[in-house]
Amino acid sequence: MTESAPDPVNEAVPEATPGATPGATPDALAEAAAAAPPRRSDATRGAILAAARERFAADGYERATIRAIAKDARIDPSMVMRYYGNKEGLFAAACSIDLRLPDLTEVPHEAVGRALVTHFLDVWEKDGVLTAMLRVGITNTAGAERMQGIFRDQLLPVARRVCPDPAEAPTRAGLCASQILGMALTRYVLRFPPAVALSVQEMADWVGPTVQRYLTAERP
């Protein structure tokens, strides 16, 4: 009995990696994948999250709708549901922020406050995500709780490493957050002219010593 030839229509064909050479080694394929342009889905997700942050900030959680967010992102509402399931899932994703706090182990102990302030100013100057989320936190309870969690989970370990008594770390981290968020509120949201007029270096010079005191000074 003669063995039948493979069906060229149904036979599975490995998906090619963009930029890869046929017959390339696994290492070459990995390099080609790393060099490939971002997938369209990544751009779509980014557009959805950007629109969601702005809409949640403007309307609050309750009034913001999937339809309005999709319209802002210029996509079909079904795409939002496809990626995030529902409004709660979208809100959680939009409020998931990595503060990208620097490794302060190599920073002199007396310079930690200024280093933190400089870092936050740099993030706020280059990326509007934190500003949008600060607006969300002001307008609704869910946004405020998300911001509290972000700063608690990411700033608290920094305070615990540098403060005199680790038991005081939550209080000290909270005071640091009040200073940093107050700085951001006046400079990037309310845009008080004197706060806006200061350069990043001048702002760090003014606010850094206060954050330093909150982190490392003896308890009053």
Side-chain angles (χ1 to χ4, degrees):
M1 182 174 179
T2 305
E3 185 176 353
S4 60
D7 185 348
V9 175
N10 296 324
E11 186 178 14
V13 178
E15 184 178 352
T17 301
T21 302
T25 65
D27 287 344
L29 289 172
E31 290 177 4
R39 295 181 301 172
R40 182 175 298 177
S41 61
D42 294 335
T44 301
R45 288 175 184 272
I48 294 171
L49 292 179
R53 291 179 184 116
E54 292 299 326
R55 181 60 61 176
F56 285 132
D59 296 348
Y61 178 81
E62 297 299 332
R63 292 176 55 202
T65 65
I66 293 292
R67 186 173 298 277
I69 291 167
K71 182 179 178 181
D72 293 343
R74 299 181 179 180
I75 61 171
D76 190 270
S78 63
M79 294 296 291
V80 180
M81 304 298 288
R82 173 184 171 186
Y83 287 123
Y84 298 104
N86 52 33
K87 188 166 76 169
E88 183 179 353
L90 175 59
F91 184 78
C95 296
S96 179
I97 299 174
D98 183 358
L99 298 176
R100 304 190 298 277
L101 294 178
D103 182 3
L104 300 175
T105 55
E106 301 299 324
V107 177
H109 192 69
E110 66 278 5
V112 170
R114 194 180 194 286
L116 269 181
V117 173
T118 300
H119 171 76
F120 276 104
L121 285 168
D122 185 59
V123 171
W124 258 295
E125 292 284 331
K126 296 179 179 178
D127 190 345
V129 172
L130 269 178
T131 302
M133 289 315 306
L134 184 56
R135 293 195 187 101
V136 172
I138 293 170
T139 58
N140 70 91
T141 303
E145 291 174 349
R146 293 294 295 183
M147 286 294 284
Q148 290 168 16
I150 289 167
F151 273 77
R152 179 189 63 243
D153 296 342
Q154 299 184 48
L155 189 57
L156 180 58
V158 175
R160 188 172 285 120
R161 285 196 299 269
V162 301
C163 71
D165 182 357
E168 296 176 349
T171 298
R172 291 175 180 269
L175 291 170
C176 289
S178 72
Q179 194 70 32
I180 291 168
L181 290 174
M183 172 187 71
L185 181 66
T186 56
R187 183 177 175 89
Y188 301 107
V189 177
L190 301 177
R191 297 192 62 80
F192 285 10
V196 174
L198 290 172
S199 68
V200 169
Q201 181 173 343
E202 288 172 328
M203 182 69 80
D205 289 340
W206 278 100
V207 180
T210 300
V211 173
Q212 180 73 38
R213 180 170 65 85
Y214 287 153
L215 285 172
T216 62
E218 293 298 324
R219 184 183 180 92

